[in-house]
Amino acid sequence: FQAAVSGERAWQTVCDLARYHRIQASPGFRAAAEDVLARLQAAGVEARLHTYPADGKTAFWTSIQSPEWEVHEATLDLLVPGEPPQRLADFSACPISVIQRSAPFEGEAEVVDVGRGDRPEDYEGLEVAGKVVLAEGEVQEVYEQAVRRRGAVGILYHGLRPIPPVRERMDLPDVRHYVSFWWEAGDDPLCFGFVLTPRQGEALRARLRQEATRNEARAPVRVRARVVSRIYEGAFEVVEGFIPGQSAEEVVLVAHLCHPRPAANDNASG
């Protein structure tokens, strides 16, 4: 048994899988599944790939699988008159800097701070139609309140879910929280979103407050967003392998393959 097991080989496999951006139902997830399949087959394991619908309407137990998502480019720049654009987020540098499953978009929009943004009272006295909201509340509810009900075009999320007493939001000021839209058939309109660090979010919030104290001729704070993506009825994969034993008893081992690059503990290392 010891001759057949290699910690170094297992570690290298985890490193290789962590390079895939493994969002459920995406080309990156499929590539990772095909990688696992090839490794099992190369090791002599009886293995195959199962394919299931990813269409926003097919349910597995109580979960509806979102449509397949493909993204090629996503960038966000802060636009300040008289200053060069400031890059706030770039998918190519950090895949979780875009809210996963963001819809395509290209253009400029004014930014409005809505606090948490996931409650109706956060919007009292504010006009967000055609604008981008800066929020730190639960993203799916921010979408419901800002986009579906009030016509916002996008979301800038700068939250970090606190886990007291272990972690508060500003204990990790320079990390981005992994968040996603979970589209279902009939969701309309779809939108885009970006993830800022808590530090970026507070800096942007301070700039918005500063601009609000100036005279009426002030130029609103704006961002330029570009998301090159595609949302479509596709598929996702499950890899199955079988190793015969010497008795009728069966042992089932399960791990999930999804999650963003470069995540490994959740769950490439499974």
Side-chain angles (χ1 to χ4, degrees):
F1 177 78
Q2 289 181 339
V5 174
S6 167
E8 184 177 25
R9 187 169 62 242
W11 174 81
Q12 188 60 61
T13 299
V14 171
C15 291
D16 292 344
L17 289 177
R19 293 188 178 98
Y20 295 104
H21 190 52
R22 307 179 312 282
I23 301 303
Q24 305 95 325
S26 70
F29 182 90
R30 183 169 302 111
E34 292 170 346
D35 188 318
V36 171
L37 177 68
R39 291 170 189 265
L40 289 172
Q41 291 176 336
V45 175
E46 179 185 327
R48 58 179 175 166
L49 201 65
H50 299 274
T51 301
Y52 299 95
D55 54 15
K57 53 191 176 185
T58 301
F60 301 93
W61 288 8
T62 61
S63 177
I64 294 179
Q65 175 58 49
S66 292
E68 186 164 340
W69 179 63
E70 182 176 19
V71 59
H72 297 284
E73 181 182 349
T75 56
L76 178 73
D77 295 317
L78 177 63
L79 305 178
V80 178
E83 299 180 17
Q86 178 186 344
R87 179 61 49 92
L88 297 178
D90 186 346
F91 170 81
S92 66
C94 179
I96 60 173
S97 64
V98 64
I99 297 179
Q100 306 303 299
R101 299 184 177 86
S102 280
F105 181 87
E106 183 160 12
E108 298 180 10
E110 181 181 346
V111 182
V112 179
D113 182 9
V114 294
R116 285 189 53 85
D118 54 4
R119 305 166 300 187
E121 57 265 32
D122 295 328
Y123 297 85
E124 292 179 3
L126 298 176
E127 175 57 59
V128 300
K131 302 175 183 179
V132 175
V133 298
L134 176 67
E136 57 179 300
E138 200 280 318
V139 164
Q140 204 66 25
E141 280 303 311
V142 175
Y143 162 75
E144 179 67 27
Q145 295 293 335
V147 179
R148 290 194 69 173
R149 298 188 183 183
R150 295 173 176 84
V153 296
I155 299 169
L156 305 184
Y157 172 77
H158 65 113
L160 183 67
R161 187 177 301 118
I163 309 176
V166 177
R167 180 187 78 195
E168 296 296 338
R169 176 171 168 270
M170 292 306 292
D171 287 342
L172 297 170
D174 298 312
V175 304
R176 301 178 196 263
H177 197 53
Y178 167 50
V179 290
S180 177
F181 297 117
W182 297 94
W183 306 124
E184 295 182 8
D187 283 341
D188 183 63
L190 305 186
C191 74
F192 74 94
F194 285 90
V195 180
L196 307 181
T197 69
R199 192 190 305 275
Q200 286 178 318
E202 291 305 315
L204 184 52
R205 176 177 281 173
R207 181 178 285 273
L208 289 167
R209 285 196 299 263
Q210 181 184 36
E211 293 297 331
T213 62
R214 297 185 178 181
N215 58 46
E216 293 299 322
R218 69 181 178 86
V221 175
R222 300 178 66 83
V223 290
R224 179 171 61 226
R226 174 176 167 83
V227 180
V228 182
S229 66
R230 190 164 67 101
I231 299 171
Y232 52 97
E233 291 192 4
F236 74 97
E237 295 72 32
V238 174
V239 185
E240 177 188 71
F242 178 74
I243 303 174
Q246 297 177 345
S247 74
E249 183 181 15
E250 291 189 353
V251 176
V252 179
L253 301 178
V254 179
H256 64 85
L257 187 62
C258 65
H259 272 25
R261 188 178 84 230
N265 285 336
D266 194 357
N267 183 234
S269 56

